[in-house]
Amino acid sequence: MSVNRTELVAAVAERSSLTKTQADAALSALQEVLVDSLSKGEAVKVTGLLGVERVERAARTGRNPRTGEEIQIPAGYGVKISAGSALKKAVAK
């Protein structure tokens, strides 16, 4: 089971005494901060909850699954998300 954006907005609104519109705006602002920071190479850490950082991936050789042909995959960036202590404790229960 997963929570979609609408359900997340409703839950945040309920727990924070915000309207759904305000909660949606806050979630959108969080998304913008994450995207802006990561695109600049800056890590975002919410103590106890999670850490998000951009990581560099080296160029590598891959294989086309249809033909089996080797292909060169260029270097690029990925995103690494790590759970904070409060999140780890909640999941361990």
Side-chain angles (χ1 to χ4, degrees):
M1 185 159 57
S2 64
V3 176
N4 64 30
R5 184 182 176 100
T6 303
E7 294 166 340
L8 180 60
V9 166
V12 169
E14 182 180 323
R15 293 181 186 205
S16 65
S17 301
L18 296 172
T19 66
K20 286 184 181 180
T21 303
Q22 291 169 327
D24 187 52
L27 189 58
S28 293
L30 175 62
Q31 180 179 341
E32 288 175 16
V33 169
L34 283 171
V35 169
D36 288 345
S37 295
L38 293 172
S39 67
K40 294 175 188 173
E42 301 169 348
V44 176
K45 296 186 192 280
V46 181
T47 304
L49 183 62
L50 58 87
V52 184
E53 63 183 303
R54 182 172 86 168
V55 293
E56 194 170 341
R57 291 190 179 157
R60 61 196 186 278
T61 301
R63 197 167 289 281
N64 182 330
R66 288 187 182 191
T67 64
E69 173 188 3
E70 280 194 359
I71 57 172
Q72 292 301 313
I73 301 170
Y77 296 99
V79 176
K80 178 182 173 186
I81 300 173
S82 49
S85 59
L87 188 57
K88 286 178 184 179
K89 285 178 187 176
V91 171
K93 290 183 181 181

